[in-house]
Coordinates of all heavy atoms in Angstrom, one line a residue:
E1 N 114.4 84.2 84.5 CA 114.4 85.4 83.7 C 115.8 85.6 83.0 O 116.8 85.3 83.6 CB 114.1 86.6 84.5 CG 112.7 86.6 85.0 CD 112.3 87.9 85.7 OE1 113.1 88.9 85.5 OE2 111.2 88.0 86.3
S2 N 115.8 86.1 81.8 CA 117.0 86.2 81.1 C 117.8 87.5 81.4 O 119.0 87.7 81.1 CB 116.8 86.2 79.6 OG 115.9 87.3 79.2
N3 N 117.1 88.5 82.1 CA 117.8 89.8 82.3 C 118.8 89.6 83.4 O 119.6 90.6 83.7 CB 116.8 90.9 82.7 CG 116.0 90.6 84.0 OD1 116.0 89.4 84.5 ND2 115.4 91.6 84.5
L4 N 118.9 88.4 84.1 CA 119.9 88.2 85.1 C 121.3 88.2 84.5 O 122.3 88.3 85.3 CB 119.6 86.9 85.9 CG 118.4 86.9 86.7 CD1 118.2 85.6 87.4 CD2 118.4 88.1 87.7
R5 N 121.4 88.2 83.2 CA 122.7 88.2 82.6 C 123.5 89.4 82.9 O 124.8 89.4 82.8 CB 122.6 88.0 81.1 CG 121.9 89.1 80.3 CD 121.7 88.8 78.9 NE 120.9 87.6 78.7 CZ 120.8 87.0 77.6 NH1 121.5 87.3 76.5 NH2 119.9 85.9 77.5
I6 N 122.9 90.5 83.3 CA 123.6 91.7 83.6 C 124.1 91.7 85.1 O 124.8 92.6 85.4 CB 122.7 92.9 83.4 CG1 121.6 93.0 84.4 CG2 122.2 93.0 81.9 CD1 120.8 94.3 84.3
Y7 N 123.7 90.7 85.8 CA 124.0 90.7 87.3 C 125.2 89.8 87.6 O 125.4 88.8 86.9 CB 122.8 90.2 88.1 CG 121.7 91.2 88.1 CD1 120.5 91.0 87.4 CD2 121.8 92.4 88.9 CE1 119.5 91.9 87.4 CE2 120.7 93.3 88.9 CZ 119.6 93.0 88.2 OH 118.6 93.9 88.2
T8 N 125.9 90.1 88.6 CA 126.8 89.1 89.2 C 126.0 88.0 89.9 O 125.0 88.3 90.6 CB 127.7 89.8 90.2 OG1 128.6 90.7 89.6 CG2 128.6 88.8 91.0
M9 N 126.3 86.8 89.6 CA 125.6 85.6 90.2 C 126.6 84.9 91.1 O 127.8 84.9 90.9 CB 125.2 84.7 89.1 CG 124.1 85.2 88.1 SD 122.6 85.6 89.0 CE 122.1 84.0 89.5
G10 N 126.0 84.3 92.1 CA 126.8 83.6 93.1 C 126.2 82.2 93.5 O 125.0 82.0 93.4
W11 N 127.1 81.4 93.9 CA 126.7 80.1 94.5 C 127.0 80.2 96.0 O 128.1 80.7 96.4 CB 127.5 78.9 93.9 CG 126.9 78.4 92.7 CD1 127.4 78.6 91.4 CD2 125.8 77.4 92.6 NE1 126.6 77.9 90.5 CE2 125.7 77.2 91.2 CE3 125.0 76.8 93.5 CZ2 124.7 76.3 90.7 CZ3 124.0 76.0 93.0 CH2 123.9 75.7 91.7
Y12 N 126.0 79.9 96.8 CA 126.1 79.9 98.2 C 125.8 78.5 98.8 O 125.3 77.7 98.1 CB 125.0 80.8 98.8 CG 124.9 82.3 98.2 CD1 124.5 82.5 97.0 CD2 125.3 83.3 99.0 CE1 124.4 83.8 96.5 CE2 125.3 84.6 98.6 CZ 124.8 84.9 97.3 OH 124.8 86.2 96.8
R13 N 126.2 78.3 100.0 CA 125.9 77.1 100.7 C 125.6 77.3 102.1 O 126.1 78.3 102.7 CB 127.1 76.1 100.5 CG 128.4 76.4 101.3 CD 129.5 75.4 101.0 NE 130.7 75.7 101.7 CZ 131.8 75.1 101.5 NH1 131.9 74.2 100.5 NH2 132.9 75.4 102.2
Q14 N 124.8 76.4 102.7 CA 124.5 76.5 104.1 C 124.5 75.1 104.7 O 123.8 74.2 104.3 CB 123.1 77.1 104.3 CG 122.7 77.3 105.8 CD 121.5 78.2 105.9 OE1 120.7 78.3 105.0 NE2 121.4 78.8 107.1
A15 N 125.4 74.9 105.6 CA 125.5 73.6 106.4 C 124.7 73.7 107.6 O 124.4 74.8 108.1 CB 127.0 73.4 106.8
P16 N 124.2 72.5 108.1 CA 123.4 72.5 109.3 C 124.0 73.3 110.5 O 125.2 73.1 110.8 CB 123.3 71.0 109.6 CG 123.5 70.4 108.3 CD 124.5 71.2 107.6
G17 N 123.2 74.2 111.1 CA 123.7 75.0 112.2 C 124.6 76.1 111.9 O 125.1 76.8 112.8
K18 N 124.8 76.4 110.6 CA 125.7 77.4 110.2 C 125.0 78.4 109.3 O 123.9 78.1 108.7 CB 126.9 76.9 109.4 CG 127.8 76.0 110.3 CD 129.1 75.6 109.5 CE 130.0 74.8 110.4 NZ 131.3 74.4 109.6
E19 N 125.5 79.6 109.2 CA 125.0 80.6 108.3 C 125.3 80.4 106.8 O 126.3 79.7 106.5 CB 125.5 82.0 108.7 CG 125.1 82.5 110.1 CD 125.5 83.9 110.3 OE1 126.2 84.5 109.5 OE2 125.1 84.5 111.4
R20 N 124.4 80.9 106.0 CA 124.7 80.7 104.5 C 125.9 81.5 104.2 O 126.1 82.6 104.6 CB 123.5 81.2 103.8 CG 123.4 80.7 102.3 CD 122.2 81.3 101.6 NE 121.0 81.4 102.3 CZ 119.9 80.7 102.2 NH1 119.9 79.7 101.2 NH2 118.8 80.9 102.9
E21 N 126.7 81.0 103.3 CA 128.0 81.6 102.9 C 128.1 81.6 101.4 O 127.7 80.7 100.7 CB 129.2 81.0 103.6 CG 129.4 79.5 103.2 CD 130.7 79.0 103.7 OE1 131.6 79.7 104.1 OE2 130.9 77.7 103.6
L22 N 128.8 82.6 100.9 CA 129.1 82.7 99.5 C 130.3 81.9 99.2 O 131.3 82.1 99.8 CB 129.3 84.2 99.1 CG 129.7 84.4 97.6 CD1 128.5 84.2 96.7 CD2 130.1 85.9 97.4
V23 N 130.3 81.0 98.2 CA 131.4 80.2 97.9 C 132.1 80.6 96.5 O 133.3 80.4 96.4 CB 131.1 78.7 97.9 CG1 130.8 78.2 99.3 CG2 130.1 78.3 96.9
A24 N 131.3 81.2 95.6 CA 131.8 81.6 94.3 C 130.9 82.6 93.7 O 129.7 82.6 93.9 CB 132.0 80.3 93.4
R25 N 131.5 83.5 92.9 CA 130.7 84.4 92.2 C 131.2 84.7 90.8 O 132.4 84.5 90.6 CB 130.6 85.8 92.9 CG 131.9 86.5 93.1 CD 131.7 87.8 93.9 NE 133.0 88.5 94.1 CZ 133.1 89.6 94.7 NH1 132.0 90.2 95.2 NH2 134.2 90.2 94.9
I26 N 130.4 85.1 89.9 CA 130.8 85.3 88.5 C 130.1 86.6 88.0 O 128.9 86.7 88.2 CB 130.5 84.1 87.6 CG1 131.0 84.4 86.2 CG2 129.0 83.7 87.6 CD1 131.0 83.1 85.3
T27 N 130.8 87.5 87.5 CA 130.3 88.8 87.0 C 129.6 88.6 85.7 O 129.7 87.6 85.0 CB 131.3 89.9 86.9 OG1 132.2 89.5 85.9 CG2 132.1 90.0 88.2
S28 N 129.0 89.7 85.2 CA 128.4 89.6 83.9 C 129.4 89.5 82.8 O 129.2 88.9 81.7 CB 127.6 90.9 83.6 OG 128.4 92.0 83.7
G29 N 130.6 89.9 83.1 CA 131.8 89.8 82.2 C 132.5 88.5 82.4 O 133.6 88.3 81.8
K30 N 132.0 87.6 83.3 CA 132.6 86.3 83.5 C 133.9 86.3 84.3 O 134.6 85.3 84.3 CB 132.7 85.4 82.3 CG 131.3 85.2 81.6 CD 131.4 84.2 80.4 CE 130.0 84.0 79.9 NZ 129.9 83.1 78.7
S31 N 134.1 87.4 85.0 CA 135.2 87.3 86.0 C 134.7 86.5 87.2 O 133.5 86.6 87.6 CB 135.6 88.7 86.4 OG 136.1 89.5 85.4

């Protein structure tokens, strides 16, 4: 969907046996 452009988006990762963690995020203004 294209309306996600208004949201902060994140990349997450999960290694075996570990919880999912946020590694990077970008706001709608690209911060």
Side-chain angles (χ1 to χ4, degrees):
E1 294 188 12
S2 61
N3 64 344
L4 293 180
R5 65 185 63 194
I6 68 174
Y7 292 105
T8 294
M9 294 296 298
W11 276 100
Y12 303 75
R13 68 184 180 189
Q14 186 169 22
K18 295 187 177 181
E19 293 187 354
R20 200 183 321 249
E21 63 172 345
L22 177 71
V23 296
R25 63 180 180 180
I26 184 167
T27 68
S28 59
K30 300 188 178 180
S31 295

